[in-house]
Amino acid sequence: MESKCQCCCSHTHSQSKEKEKSIIKKWWAPVLSGVFLLLGIIFQHQEWTWFVNPVIEFLWFLIGFLPVGLPVMREAWESILQKDWFNEFSLMALASLGAFYIGEYPEALAVMLLYSIGEMLQDKAVNQASRNIKDLLDVRPEQVDVYRKGVLSTVSPREVNVGEVIEVKPGERVPLDGSLQNPYAVFDTSALTGESMPRNVSEGGEVLAGMIVSGQAVRIQVTKPYDHSTLARILTLVQDAAERKAPAELFIRKFARIYTPIVVLLAFLIVALPALVAAVHPEFDYVFNDWLYRGLVFLVISCPCALVISIPLGYFGGIGAASRTGILFKGSNYLDAITRINAVVFDKTGTLTTGSFRVTSIQATDIPEDELLSLVASVEKKSTHPVAQAIVHYASGRGVKPAIVTSLNELAGYGLEAEVEHHQVLVGNIRLLTDRQIAVPEELADCVATVVVCAVDGKYAGQLLLSDTLKEDAVDAIKKLKALKIDNIQMLSGDKQEIVNIFAKELGIDKAYGDLLPEDKAVHLEQLNSVPGMSVAFVGDGMNDAPVLALSDVGIAMGGLGSDAAIESADVVIQTDQPSKVATAISIGRATRRIVMQNIVGAITVKVLVLLAGACGFATLWAAVFADVGVALLVVLNSVRILRKKF
């Protein structure tokens, strides 16, 4: 035990020493250059005899310049070798060399010193912001108790193999995906969904990394390695999102490539044009060094690094803020696209309704009810549709055992066709039987409940009626969207129009369409997309709505917790089953865009003002560097502000 403690202390001490070395390595150059600059200014001000010598003065400031100037000059040279002639390194190199040429040695050193300090502070702010975002999401424990040879051992979650059993105590986070070994347990899903929603899991049920154990210690059999857990996938998704650039980011990149050579040309013209004027009008007093100084000020303030860094950071901050609330954007381009949405189309079942159907009645014709239920449950047993699952659950509750199915064929939008104990069985909606020219009781056409009909050997055998309910926040979701000035809200469903109308009235949706096959939904989306100026978001469950999600401008999958299909098919994944999060996603997108536009407008405005002041001779190199560094830090701080906003 003692050796373990000593080892731990030694490791901590080693880490502390490494950190100290890193800080010294990072700051020695600006500190040394700063000392030379400060002493040089004092020596100049005091007019010390030995310092009046021009050579000594030049060498003093040159020595002070080298620690901070050489790294920047090297970066500029490497960029030039790669044919990247115009960048912030070459701008600063030109400005400092020009200042040396005209004898402004302190300002030449100050340009590089303040630029280097500004870059370091800026990098620190960016890295800290990125770490903050990652820390908000990466809540996986660093240690876990695993059963090995009947004894609990504490190891890193990375060392746990699939199939091993781990134990997680109350209040601790689950480090790995797995299946519950206890008869029953309750978990807090806040790390995955953004809200402290209790999730009840029975023995054999799925437990995901990031959940918090409530009540009692649980045992979990690991089903996925550390790097493939749900939380790891979410982290990867958020980090990879930075690769998908928003239009503003792409514009700024292109803008910087064009902008930088233009300002170099303008700086040259600031020096050259007055010389031409003086050549034509001899009375014009032209002093080359004065105009060169103005050109150098122009170069320093024109550095575009503030824009280039702050805009992607702004979008990354928005992605991080959304992730905290249980909303995953697959790229900053989607964060930008969602701000233009002016129409939202919802799938009904499982999106606005709970999808938890229950059988309200069963009616058979020429066979006993239990036999009808056995046939229907047998056919529906392998389906993942909520209606099918409700029927299977109902049959199990009545003690009805399913029959043996020898063949099964899914008929998309209609139902299922199967051979059950030498009988040809059809199970699905009324359209299925009508299409096969099997008579169905007329009263079923007017029924407002969800109807599942069954035919055996080409003859109508009976039906089951089921009901669905709205989600708790469904009405609130529609109100929030309308508050965001999105009035074109629609609902699509495969259910009968009468059922859809009832739900639409409760929700306050004016446009609701029923009796739709999957291909009908796709056609409806295509028609909406063809309307000029229309930008459509489709919200579905991510499982059977993949074609429609792909057709929309922004595809939003509901209830994507642990669902590979949802993450694959959608642009945005809402990890909870809360439709109100659609409005939250739009609000975060709009807030991010506001911050990005503030950065663009603010940085360009300040730069233009100082550029004009420099060109007119009212700004010094000191002011230019302070303005450049200051703007960069301000926009970085503004970018991460979204992380503190509540949505």
Side-chain angles (χ1 to χ4, degrees), residues 125-426:
V126 171
N127 293 335
Q128 185 62 50
S130 300
R131 277 197 302 272
N132 287 347
I133 293 165
K134 192 172 186 295
D135 291 346
L136 288 169
L137 301 169
D138 196 356
V139 290
R140 293 171 292 185
E142 294 181 359
Q143 292 186 321
V144 61
D145 294 330
V146 60
Y147 282 96
R148 288 178 177 168
K149 297 180 182 179
V151 179
L152 269 181
S153 303
T154 303
V155 299
S156 165
R158 294 182 183 276
E159 298 173 19
V160 178
N161 300 314
V162 172
E164 289 190 301
V165 177
I166 61 173
E167 183 173 281
V168 186
K169 297 178 180 63
E172 292 183 351
R173 294 188 189 274
V174 176
L176 300 153
D177 287 1
S179 60
L180 184 67
Q181 303 298 292
N182 299 51
Y184 177 81
V186 180
F187 296 88
D188 172 359
T189 63
S190 55
L192 298 169
T193 64
E195 295 183 9
S196 300
M197 296 176 65
R199 181 168 179 171
N200 302 322
V201 180
S202 301
E203 187 174 359
E206 186 181 39
V207 180
L208 303 175
M211 290 181 173
I212 300 172
V213 179
S214 302
Q216 60 180 11
V218 298
R219 292 186 181 186
I220 299 165
Q221 186 172 33
V222 177
T223 55
K224 290 180 184 176
Y226 181 82
D227 291 331
H228 291 83
S229 70
T230 297
L231 198 58
R233 187 178 59 200
I234 290 169
L235 282 164
T236 302
L237 184 65
V238 172
Q239 287 159 0
D240 288 350
E243 299 301 314
R244 296 184 176 94
K245 305 299 181 187
E249 290 179 78
L250 298 173
F251 165 75
I252 286 299
R253 284 187 169 190
K254 292 176 183 176
F255 174 77
R257 284 198 291 267
I258 298 166
Y259 162 87
T260 309
I262 287 173
V263 295
V264 171
L265 176 63
L266 290 174
F268 172 76
L269 291 176
I270 286 171
V271 181
L273 285 178
L276 292 175
V277 173
V280 177
H281 301 284
E283 68 276 9
F284 181 76
D285 185 20
Y286 176 75
V287 179
F288 175 74
N289 282 4
D290 290 349
W291 286 100
L292 178 60
Y293 186 83
R294 294 183 186 188
L296 297 177
V297 171
F298 196 88
L299 279 181
V300 171
I301 191 57
S302 66
C303 181
C305 53
L307 288 170
V308 173
I309 288 174
S310 69
I311 291 166
L313 186 63
Y315 280 111
F316 192 44
I319 289 167
S323 302
R324 287 172 61 192
T325 66
I327 302 167
L328 299 179
F329 281 90
K330 292 176 75 173
S332 53
N333 51 333
Y334 301 120
L335 193 67
D336 192 75
I338 206 167
T339 64
R340 297 189 293 274
I341 293 299
N342 52 24
V344 178
V345 179
F346 287 94
D347 178 53
K348 181 181 77 67
T349 306
T351 303
L352 290 170
T353 64
T354 61
S356 301
F357 287 83
R358 60 186 182 87
V359 178
T360 55
S361 71
I362 179 171
Q363 187 175 351
T365 52
D366 298 331
I367 59 174
E369 280 188 3
D370 281 359
E371 187 179 340
L372 172 68
L373 185 58
S374 175
L375 288 170
V376 175
S378 303
V379 176
E380 298 278 30
K381 187 168 64 174
K382 291 188 178 180
S383 174
T384 58
H385 194 280
V387 170
Q389 293 296 307
I391 292 171
V392 173
H393 182 73
Y394 178 70
S396 176
R398 281 183 54 157
V400 174
K401 293 183 179 179
I404 297 170
V405 178
T406 52
S407 69
L408 183 69
N409 181 33
E410 184 177 355
L411 307 168
Y414 290 90
L416 300 160
E417 182 179 24
E419 185 178 334
V420 184
E421 296 179 346
H422 307 295
H423 293 288
Q424 293 299 317
V425 179
L426 294 171

Side-chain angles (χ1 to χ4, degrees), residues 386-620:
V387 170
Q389 293 296 307
I391 292 171
V392 173
H393 182 73
Y394 178 70
S396 176
R398 281 183 54 157
V400 174
K401 293 183 179 179
I404 297 170
V405 178
T406 52
S407 69
L408 183 69
N409 181 33
E410 184 177 355
L411 307 168
Y414 290 90
L416 300 160
E417 182 179 24
E419 185 178 334
V420 184
E421 296 179 346
H422 307 295
H423 293 288
Q424 293 299 317
V425 179
L426 294 171
V427 175
N429 53 34
I430 295 172
R431 282 180 306 202
L432 172 61
L433 270 60
T434 305
D435 189 59
R436 298 300 177 90
Q437 297 180 343
I438 299 171
V440 177
E442 290 182 9
E443 62 268 18
L444 290 182
D446 301 322
C447 182
V448 294
T450 297
V451 181
V452 174
V453 292
C454 176
V456 181
D457 296 327
K459 186 180 178 182
Y460 177 75
Q463 87 279 341
L464 290 87
L465 302 183
L466 298 92
S467 65
D468 193 5
T469 54
L470 285 175
K471 290 182 178 176
E472 287 182 8
D473 69 329
V475 175
D476 191 41
I478 306 304
K479 286 180 179 176
K480 285 182 175 179
L481 286 172
K482 288 181 177 179
L484 292 172
K485 307 298 182 189
I486 297 174
D487 298 318
N488 191 347
I489 303 170
Q490 303 185 17
M491 181 168 65
L492 308 181
S493 177
D495 283 344
K496 288 189 296 185
Q497 188 66 51
E498 292 83 354
I499 298 172
V500 175
N501 288 342
I502 290 169
F503 282 113
K505 189 176 180 181
E506 287 185 57
L507 289 163
I509 294 176
D510 298 325
K511 299 175 183 177
Y513 305 89
D515 298 311
L516 298 176
L517 298 172
E519 55 265 34
D520 296 330
K521 293 180 182 179
V523 170
H524 187 88
L525 255 291
E526 285 176 339
Q527 289 173 347
L528 265 180
N529 284 332
S530 66
V531 177
M534 187 70 71
S535 186
V536 185
F538 180 80
V539 190
D541 61 16
M543 301 293 285
N544 53 10
D545 291 314
V548 199
L549 285 166
L551 280 171
S552 58
D553 294 294
V554 178
I556 303 174
M558 294 289 297
L561 190 62
S563 167
D564 290 322
I567 287 180
E568 285 298 320
S569 59
D571 306 318
V572 182
V573 179
I574 294 177
Q575 298 182 99
T576 64
D577 276 334
Q578 297 171 283
S580 59
K581 288 289 182 76
V582 175
T584 305
I586 294 171
S587 296
I588 290 172
R590 290 180 180 180
T592 304
R593 187 163 178 78
R594 278 197 302 272
I595 285 173
V596 167
M597 293 310 295
Q598 286 167 5
N599 287 345
I600 293 172
V601 174
I604 290 176
T605 301
V606 172
K607 284 184 177 293
V608 167
L609 290 174
V610 181
L611 282 171
L612 291 173
C616 296
F618 298 122
T620 64

